[in-house]
Amino acid sequence: MILDKLGKERLFFDGGMGTLLQEKGLLPGELPEKWNIEHAEDIIEIHQRYFEAGSQIVLTNTFGANAIKFQEGAFPLEKILSAAVCNAKTAAGRCEREDCYVALDIGPTGKLLKPMGDLKFEDAYEVFKEVVQIGAAQGVDLIHIETMSDTYELKAAVLAAKENSDLPVFATLIFDERGKLLTGADVPSVVAMLEGLRVDALGINCGLGPIQMMPVIEQILEYASIPVIVKPNAGLPVQKDGQTCYDITPDEFAEEMKQIAGKGAAVIGGCCGTTPEHIRKMAAICQEISLPHREEKHRTIVSSYGRSVELGTGSKIIGERINPTGKKKFKQALKDHDLEYILKEGIIQQEKGAHILDVNVGLPDIDEPAMMKEVVERLQSVTNLPLQIDTVDIEAMESAMRIYNGKPMINSVNGKQESMDAVFPLVKKYGGTVVALTIDEEGIPSTAQGRLAIAKKIIAEAATYGIDRKDIVVDVLTMTISSEPAGALTTLEALRLVREQCQVNTVLGVSNISFGLPSRPIINANFYTMAMQQGLSAGIINPNSEEMMQSYYSYHALMNLDENCGQYIEKYAGGTAEKKPLPTVKELSLQDTIEKGLKEEALRITRQLVQNMQPLDIINQYLIPALDVVGKGFEKGTVFLPQLLMSAESAKASFAVLKDAFAASGAEEEAKEKIVLATVKGDIHDIGKNIVKVLLENYSFDVIDLGKDVDPDLIVDTVIAEGVRLVGLSALMTTTVVNMKDTIAKLKAKAPDCKIMVGGAVLNQEYADMIGADFYGKDAMQSVYYAQNLFQEKNDF
């Protein structure tokens, strides 16, 4: 079993497959998975060369093998997967070593999941489930999910692997040099989610060479408690004799991997451009480097798709406004299924300073599991804050945990055996940081020692499920002082005891303290300060309460938890009030709704505005400024892909209303510049191209989308027929970049006035220059800015 060796000795993966297949005659754009059947002996030979070079783990040639790409016909999915596993096992059988393992290789689907794309989470799960079931039945030793750029798709794949096999599961992702995924996740959020899902090893592959990867690797090693995998490319891609090559030699690669091994990577190998010689040199030089023991990282982290929040330093704010308790308008919104109201509550709390949003939708007349699932999905489309799933309905809890994109906070479990038996299996399966209430079958203890005892019981029971105390946050319960005069004293003492004796983080619903009293904010704010002084890790509060926020910012400044009082100064430099009042739920403008991705609200406001404003004025005063704010945020790394696309969808909805208004008034829209977009021949990935399309359309360009796997002649003919002055080409696969070069050459020859911009994971500026592109777009917004500048210059001329 590979798990007997994992983490105890260093393990070696194989290297790239595409480069070696190209040497054997793989045509540009040809699907390498077909070679499992058509050229089985070639695949076996490559696997065997890697085993002989020192690889212990060889990946099946199935990176792109799934039902989306392979339907019934000459190459049905089951036949491809079975042949691939057979080829790898045959190579292992020819190897004289016993430590030869076959890993089922699972890559991304090539599609974005909803709400960013059109693939449902459960549909993605079914795609991965089929691959896992076939591969497991064929006898692979482990499952390796790799080159993932979206935590949501990764979660679907991990669940499919865990629920449909008992095999070890490894997972690696493709980070950029900033340590971010395409959809915005940072290293702590990725590690927290994967460890919560109980993968056996995690790490990074592809996208970067070992030198460029180093800062990301160091961060992964800082946060991960489980073995870390590192599989870099052989440097950066270059063009040589019409082929895509990489710029790091086997000797150079081995030296860099020696440094990585020395830092503690437990499983190492190569990705694009690496060969058996790269692996041979790496294995030889790293074999004797000792593998340090991985220390448990006692970090309490909750995360979303794009943000991680760590509890333990200072105190964090959990916004309490998405909860019907005591809120008539919110209750009515739930009854009316007014999700826009709920989403606005979340957005306003984020802008007011919340770090986590509590989500409670429980009402007697509501289907809580369905509502909880829908609200969580919708909230995660407009805010990147982590969520606290707040429910006593176990079905609602699981429905939300399953589709949650990240590692959620779960509110709650308590000391009743029935509660622990129901909640802990869900936390073990899906991951999460669970709030533990100090109440049991006997009720809420009247003493601090009684509450401490329940906390200890819950922590001990969680351990039997493999849930570490770092994933337990204890709520010692806030009792209202109007009915229990000593309630605050007992709660504060219990808070101190739990922190000191259980060594866990803590949380309180702060405003419970003042029920039945006048001027409640005064009591709430003072109790909040006292609780933070006793070590409160997170307070469930109303971030719209100025008194509570004053307590929060002043406490952190006074306790030296706010470096140079920076947050306090930023908040209150203009006086006791905020410098710029934030909008309330009722006051969001059209620009606000587009920036925040509130599609239905954008529609409603646009319909109101066209009654008194010209469509063009609405575009110039609201839509374009909103898109510019979001676009600049995306470039700076403060806005991430999901927010960018939701904003674009809101703008699209608003544009639709304005288009009708133009038609009704008899006015003509400005003529739009045409842009052709295409994923090059042989490449069936269109994520990047589709993102660029959405953004260009929102900036009023007329996009002619030719789709994916597009023949160069079709692109050229379309450009000439439509008089197009700009083409955007996308490629995600190393083996298809040569087709991009051919397309560019044909365009330059037959349409010399047409400019060409290119993008894709396998490209960089140097490579784009080599193949003759006019512009390389590192991200989608750069393509928009290039188009704007290009056409402005030409029109001015």
Side-chain angles (χ1 to χ4, degrees):
M1 281 286 291
I2 194 168
L3 292 182
D4 295 333
K5 298 177 180 292
L6 181 64
K8 300 180 180 68
E9 60 184 76
R10 183 164 284 104
L11 298 174
F12 300 104
F13 258 108
D14 57 3
M17 174 66 73
T19 304
L20 303 183
L21 290 180
Q22 283 178 323
E23 292 176 358
K24 288 181 175 293
L26 180 74
L27 298 175
E30 185 180 0
L31 295 176
E33 292 81 11
K34 292 181 179 180
W35 276 49
N36 291 311
I37 298 169
E38 294 182 324
H39 305 281
E41 195 56 44
D42 287 321
I43 300 297
I44 293 168
E45 182 197 343
I46 291 172
H47 291 324
Q48 190 172 348
R49 287 173 62 191
Y50 276 121
F51 278 130
E52 291 171 351
S55 299
Q56 293 146 299
I57 308 169
V58 161
L59 292 168
T60 57
N61 181 33
T62 55
F63 178 78
N66 58 61
I68 292 175
K69 299 172 186 175
F70 291 93
Q71 306 296 334
E72 292 301 319
F75 297 95
L77 180 61
E78 184 168 5
K79 187 176 179 181
I80 284 176
L81 288 167
S82 298
V85 176
C86 179
N87 292 338
K89 291 180 74 173
T90 299
R94 294 178 183 177
C95 184
E96 295 181 358
R97 303 197 326 265
E98 292 184 359
D99 61 339
C100 293
Y101 303 100
V102 173
L104 178 65
D105 190 21
I106 297 179
T109 62
K111 289 182 172 289
L112 281 172
L113 273 62
K114 287 188 171 184
M116 293 181 290
D118 58 3
L119 185 63
K120 294 179 181 178
F121 178 83
E122 290 297 345
D123 289 344
Y125 170 87
E126 290 297 327
V127 168
F128 294 123
K129 173 183 175 181
E130 183 179 12
V131 176
V132 168
Q133 288 179 331
I134 296 170
Q138 295 300 316
V140 295
D141 299 299
L142 68 146
I143 295 169
H144 183 47
I145 303 162
E146 66 168 342
T147 323
M148 288 288 179
S149 59
D150 174 20
T151 50
Y152 209 28
E153 183 177 27
L154 175 58
K155 180 172 182 176
V158 172
L159 285 176
K162 301 287 283 187
E163 292 179 354
N164 295 281
S165 80
D166 57 0
L167 295 168
V169 178
F170 292 5
T172 56
L173 302 96
I174 181 168
F175 289 92
D176 63 21
E177 291 182 64
R178 301 174 302 163
K180 298 284 188 180
L181 301 187
L182 172 69
T183 50
D186 57 10
V187 167
S189 62
V190 168
V191 172
M193 187 191 82
L194 287 175
E195 289 191 345
L197 289 169
R198 305 296 194 270
V199 300
D200 297 287
L202 60 83
I204 180 174
N205 80 288
C206 203
L208 302 169
I211 298 171
Q212 295 81 14
M213 269 188 188
M214 191 65 78
V216 184
I217 295 167
E218 290 174 342
Q219 196 177 13
I220 294 172
L221 289 166
E222 178 185 349
Y223 280 89
S225 299
I226 62 176
V228 171
I229 307 166
V230 179
K231 299 195 304 170
N233 291 345
L236 300 174
V238 294
Q239 271 276 319
K240 185 177 181 181
D241 300 327
Q243 294 290 324
T244 301
C245 306
Y246 287 80
D247 64 359
I248 287 187
T249 66
D251 285 323
E252 293 168 337
F253 184 81
E255 284 297 325
E256 295 300 331
M257 295 306 291
K258 179 182 178 182
Q259 299 298 317
I260 290 168
K263 290 181 179 294
V267 190
I268 56 177
C271 203
C272 297
T274 56
T275 66
E277 192 59 22
H278 286 82
I279 301 304
R280 188 186 312 280
K281 297 280 188 178
M282 176 193 75
I285 202 170
C286 296
Q287 190 73 51
E288 301 305 319
I289 299 174
S290 62
L291 178 63
H293 174 68
R294 295 297 299 157
E295 296 292 336
E296 177 72 28
K297 307 300 193 303
H298 297 288
R299 297 176 180 268
T300 300
I301 294 176
V302 291
S303 69
S304 65
Y305 69 84
R307 182 177 296 194
S308 56
V309 174
E310 183 172 353
L311 304 182
T313 301
S315 191
K316 299 298 187 290
I317 297 168
I318 303 175
E320 69 180 13
R321 298 295 301 167
I322 304 176
N323 189 318
T325 304
K327 304 179 185 70
K328 291 182 180 179
K329 290 182 179 179
F330 192 89
K331 287 180 181 178
Q332 195 60 47
L334 286 174
K335 292 175 181 178
D336 295 341
H337 200 257
D338 183 2
L339 296 188
E340 291 295 304
Y341 183 91
I342 298 171
L343 300 184
K344 286 186 286 185
E345 284 283 14
I347 288 168
I348 294 300
Q349 288 183 96
Q350 177 170 3
E351 295 198 342
K352 291 286 189 176
H355 303 104
I356 300 167
L357 298 179
D358 182 70
V359 182
N360 185 318
V361 296
L363 280 181
D365 300 329
I366 282 181
D367 180 350
E368 189 178 350
M371 179 63 82
M372 178 66 84
K373 179 180 177 182
E374 186 174 9
V375 169
V376 166
E377 286 178 327
R378 292 290 302 277
L379 270 172
Q380 288 206 291
S381 74
V382 299
T383 175
N384 68 346
L385 291 187
L387 304 182
Q388 175 172 269
I389 298 166
D390 185 356
T391 181
V392 294
D393 185 316
I394 296 301
E395 184 183 351
M397 186 181 289
E398 180 166 19
S399 70
M401 292 177 74
R402 185 172 184 83
I403 55 89
Y404 182 80
N405 190 356
K407 181 185 178 185
M409 205 159 179
I410 307 301
N411 191 358
S412 59
V413 71
N414 61 54
K416 297 177 182 178
Q417 194 62 46
E418 178 184 18
S419 174
M420 293 188 287
D421 290 345
V423 174
F424 284 147
L426 298 182
V427 177
K428 180 181 180 181
K429 179 177 181 179
Y430 296 111
T433 297
V434 64
V435 175
L437 308 180
T438 53
I439 182 173
D440 61 11
E441 289 83 357
E442 303 300 319
I444 301 172
S446 60
T447 66
Q449 287 289 345
R451 296 182 201 180
L452 173 66
I454 295 175
K456 289 181 176 179
K457 180 174 73 170
I458 295 172
I459 292 167
E461 182 72 10
T464 67
Y465 289 85
I467 300 169
D468 189 76
R469 67 182 60 231
K470 71 180 179 183
D471 287 329
I472 303 290
V473 180
V474 174
D475 184 345
V476 295
L477 301 172
T478 304
M479 309 304 292
T480 179
I481 56 173
S482 62
S483 60
E484 190 173 327
L489 292 173
T490 302
T491 296
L492 293 172
E493 175 65 7
L495 196 64
R496 182 185 66 80
L497 290 174
V498 166
R499 288 279 298 186
E500 291 178 356
Q501 295 191 30
C502 298
Q503 297 183 322
V504 294
N505 285 287
T506 55
V507 63
L508 285 175
V510 176
S511 61
N512 293 344
I513 198 73
S514 64
F515 281 132
L517 294 175
S519 301
R520 292 183 61 195
I522 298 173
I523 292 289
N524 292 345
N526 281 280
F527 177 67
Y528 186 30
T529 300
M530 296 168 75
M532 287 189 285
Q533 200 160 15
Q534 292 299 325
L536 180 66
S537 306
I540 304 173
I541 69 166
N542 177 9
N544 298 334
S545 167
E546 184 58 28
E547 292 87 348
M548 296 298 274
M549 298 308 290
Q550 287 172 353
S551 172
Y552 173 82
Y553 285 111
S554 58
Y555 171 80
H556 284 78
L558 289 165
M559 299 303 292
N560 195 28
L561 297 168
D562 178 6
E563 187 175 356
N564 298 320
C565 301
Q567 290 183 324
Y568 181 87
I569 292 169
E570 181 181 358
K571 187 79 172 177
Y572 299 114
T576 57
E578 295 173 334
K579 290 187 290 183
K580 179 184 176 183
L582 292 168
T584 66
V585 169
K586 294 181 180 179
E587 294 172 344
L588 290 176
S589 68
L590 178 59
Q591 182 171 339
D592 292 327
T593 60
I594 291 172
E595 288 179 18
K596 307 306 178 188
L598 295 171
K599 182 177 177 180
E600 296 301 321
E601 194 69 6
L603 270 172
R604 183 185 66 78
I605 296 175
T606 305
R607 287 174 181 141
Q608 290 178 345
L609 289 175
V610 294
Q611 303 300 317
N612 301 302
M613 290 182 68
Q614 293 297 315
L616 190 58
D617 290 337
I618 296 172
I619 291 172
N620 291 330
Q621 292 180 35
Y622 296 105
L623 271 68
I624 297 302
L627 291 170
D628 284 344
V629 167
V630 175
K632 289 174 183 175
F634 182 71
E635 287 218 307
K636 291 177 182 177
T638 58
V639 170
F640 300 104
L641 186 61
Q643 297 159 282
L644 184 73
L645 293 182
M646 290 304 100
S647 176
E649 284 298 310
S650 298
K652 186 177 179 180
S654 182
F655 270 122
V657 175
L658 297 175
K659 187 173 183 178
D660 291 340
F662 272 118
S665 68
E668 293 187 5
E669 295 181 72
E670 294 181 5
K672 297 180 178 179
E673 289 282 357
K674 295 178 179 178
I675 301 174
V676 165
L677 295 182
T679 300
V680 298
K681 183 174 176 59
D683 204 314
I684 56 176
H685 298 82
D686 60 358
I687 289 177
K689 185 259 300 173
N690 290 342
I691 294 168
V692 172
K693 176 187 176 182
V694 169
L695 296 179
L696 287 172
E697 287 178 337
N698 276 285
Y699 279 85
S700 298
F701 293 106
D702 183 3
V703 176
I704 303 172
D705 183 4
L706 297 180
K708 54 193 176 185
D709 189 18
V710 183
D711 188 274
D713 291 333
L714 176 58
I715 297 172
V716 172
D717 292 344
T718 305
V719 166
I720 294 171
E722 298 288 340
V724 172
R725 298 193 287 171
L726 176 61
V727 169
L729 301 177
S730 173
L732 195 67
M733 300 166 63
T734 305
T735 54
T736 60
V737 180
V738 66
N739 289 336
M740 182 179 279
K741 181 182 180 184
D742 293 343
T743 303
I744 292 172
K746 287 189 175 184
L747 281 167
K748 295 286 187 183
K750 296 186 178 181
D753 293 334
C754 180
K755 296 295 184 180
I756 304 157
M757 59 183 182
V758 298
V762 293
L763 297 174
N764 55 38
Q765 185 64 60
E766 181 181 1
Y767 198 92
D769 293 339
M770 288 181 185
I771 61 178
D774 297 298
F775 177 76
Y776 163 65
K778 190 173 183 179
D779 59 50
M781 280 308 304
Q782 288 191 355
S783 301
V784 173
Y785 295 146
Y786 176 70
Q788 287 179 317
N789 293 333
L790 174 68
F791 291 124
Q792 184 62 47
E793 289 174 4
K794 289 189 174 183
N795 292 336
D796 289 345
F797 180 78

